[in-house]
Amino acid sequence: MINYIKLIRPINILMIALVVCLMQFCVVNPIYYKCGVSIDLFPLVFSLLMVSILTIAAAGYVINDYFDTKIDEINKPSKVIVGKTVTRAQAGTYFQTLLVIGNIAGIALAAITRDLTLVFIYAGVSGILWFYSSSYKRQLLLGNIMISICTFLCVFLVGYVSNKALILKLQSNPDLLSMLILLKTDPIQEVWNWILGFSLFAFLFTLIREMVKDIEDIEGDREMECRTMPIVWGVTVSKVVISVITVITMAVIAYFALFVLKTPIDRITLSFAIALEVLCLYFIYQLWTAQCRSGYSAASLTLKITMLVGMLFSVFI
């Protein structure tokens, strides 16, 4: 049983669950509460959202290990599970079960919010995870972008589902809609602004981290004839690309902190922005001084901490 739990990366799954909770309870719900609105059937909607995101993410980790067994035997032989303590057939069944549960929850969510788009989003993410693990993760930049899009959607779906549920309620309650118009407040647009900001943040840092992981796993990837960025362009050029994207991300953070976020907690906003900038600079230092797998692993850990710090800003919105 413990090996099945290890396959789904429990720490990463808990991190995803934390992010979903932060977005829902520290961003979306407070905005709705401030405007005097709420989502019908909220506990059910949120539960289905959480189950769908976590089970599909877990399925992604399982299928990734399923296809990466030979690479992992070179890069991290002590952590290989599929083919040793869990057979490939068992891993395949595990993946399918998780994926079916996630998509059923997604379909139920689509039915409650009366939004067919959700069905296509969940089906699309499921397809991305399969093709990413089976082929595209070995291609230049394509795999990095695909997994970053999935991370973007984990955050984006919280706002998307909540706003769809609220729109459905407003359509059936003209008095509530009239009240919002009279008060000149738009909770739906405010949720979009915040959620898209956090989604962009998650996308950029996931993209950077995936590129670092390619350098970290270069030995096994080269043995399996993958065409990742450090193999095609070299480690030095990859470090330059990663550094440039990190600096761009730092500029985006500074822009949002100084010119976009208008809140009564400017000191907290500034403190978080400075903390993120310092962490980014430290990451760049780690990246350029790293000479072996452990060095790149440390840089990757710094990126995880940076992402967590950025998401925790939602507590102070």
Side-chain angles (χ1 to χ4, degrees):
M1 185 62 184
I2 187 66
N3 291 308
Y4 283 93
I5 295 174
K6 287 181 179 179
L7 266 181
I8 64 172
R9 313 286 205 283
I11 300 300
N12 289 359
I13 291 296
L14 287 174
M15 283 281 291
I16 294 172
L18 175 61
V19 169
V20 172
C21 288
L22 286 172
M23 294 301 101
Q24 186 70 62
F25 295 103
C26 296
V27 178
V28 177
N29 287 6
I31 291 173
Y32 288 170
Y33 178 78
K34 180 183 66 176
C35 298
V37 296
S38 61
I39 302 172
D40 288 342
L41 301 175
F42 169 72
L44 177 60
V45 170
F46 179 72
S47 297
L48 289 171
L49 177 66
M50 182 69 83
V51 169
S52 63
I53 289 176
L54 296 186
T55 52
I56 291 178
Y61 289 126
V62 174
I63 198 63
N64 185 68
D65 280 5
Y66 179 90
F67 282 110
D68 274 5
T69 302
K70 292 183 179 179
I71 293 176
D72 290 341
E73 285 176 348
I74 298 172
N75 290 328
K76 42 188 178 182
S78 63
K79 295 183 178 180
V80 175
I81 296 175
V82 178
K84 291 187 176 180
T85 54
V86 176
T87 68
R88 293 182 64 81
Q90 289 171 333
T93 301
Y94 192 25
F95 161 74
Q96 292 171 359
T97 301
L98 289 168
L99 203 64
V100 167
I101 292 172
N103 278 276
I104 288 175
I107 292 171
L109 204 54
I112 291 173
T113 58
R114 300 179 191 174
D115 182 42
L116 189 61
T117 304
L118 279 172
V119 176
F120 293 105
I121 290 176
Y122 281 107
V125 170
S126 300
I128 286 175
L129 291 174
W130 172 270
F131 287 111
Y132 164 80
S133 299
S134 63
S135 175
Y136 294 139
K137 73 172 295 182
R138 298 167 178 79
Q139 304 302 315
L140 179 64
L141 294 178
L142 184 58
N144 304 137
I145 294 172
M146 290 174 74
I147 206 67
S148 300
I149 290 173
C150 289
T151 305
F152 174 94
L153 287 172
C154 283
V155 180
F156 172 81
L157 278 172
V158 179
Y160 183 85
V161 169
S162 297
N163 274 349
K164 286 295 179 180
L166 181 58
I167 289 171
L168 188 63
K169 180 176 182 177
L170 293 176
Q171 289 174 341
S172 62
N173 192 337
D175 292 337
L176 185 58
L177 180 59
S178 300
M179 181 198 73
L180 291 178
I181 295 173
L182 185 64
L183 294 175
K184 296 181 180 180
T185 182
D186 188 353
I188 294 172
Q189 186 58 51
E190 190 172 351
V191 165
W192 277 131
N193 292 341
W194 281 106
I195 287 296
L196 287 174
F198 280 109
S199 299
L200 176 61
F201 176 85
F203 174 88
L204 289 170
F205 275 98
T206 301
L207 180 62
I208 295 168
R209 186 167 176 270
E210 287 298 310
M211 290 178 173
V212 174
K213 285 171 63 180
D214 283 344
I215 302 179
E216 186 180 345
D217 295 338
I218 189 171
E219 185 179 344
D221 288 346
R222 182 181 284 123
E223 188 71 21
M224 298 306 297
E225 299 182 350
C226 299
R227 289 182 52 79
T228 57
M229 185 170 64
I231 293 175
V232 176
W233 293 346
V235 172
T236 301
V237 173
S238 297
K239 287 184 176 183
V240 171
V241 172
I242 293 169
S243 299
V244 169
I245 296 175
T246 304
V247 170
I248 291 173
T249 302
M250 292 171 66
V252 171
I253 291 170
Y255 174 76
F256 271 86
L258 297 175
F259 302 109
V260 176
L261 300 181
K262 303 295 184 182
T263 70
I265 48 173
D266 293 329
R267 289 184 181 179
I268 294 178
T269 301
L270 188 59
S271 297
F272 268 90
I274 292 173
L276 292 173
E277 301 287 354
V278 170
L279 284 168
C280 286
L281 289 173
Y282 180 59
F283 159 72
I284 292 174
Y285 167 77
Q286 286 181 302
L287 177 68
W288 283 96
T289 55
Q291 299 295 328
C292 59
R293 182 179 176 84
S294 61
Y296 295 115
S297 295
S300 183
L301 177 60
T302 298
L303 286 174
K304 275 189 175 182
I305 294 171
T306 306
M307 290 178 68
L308 178 60
V309 170
M311 291 300 174
L312 286 174
F313 173 67
S314 61
V315 175
F316 299 95
I317 293 177

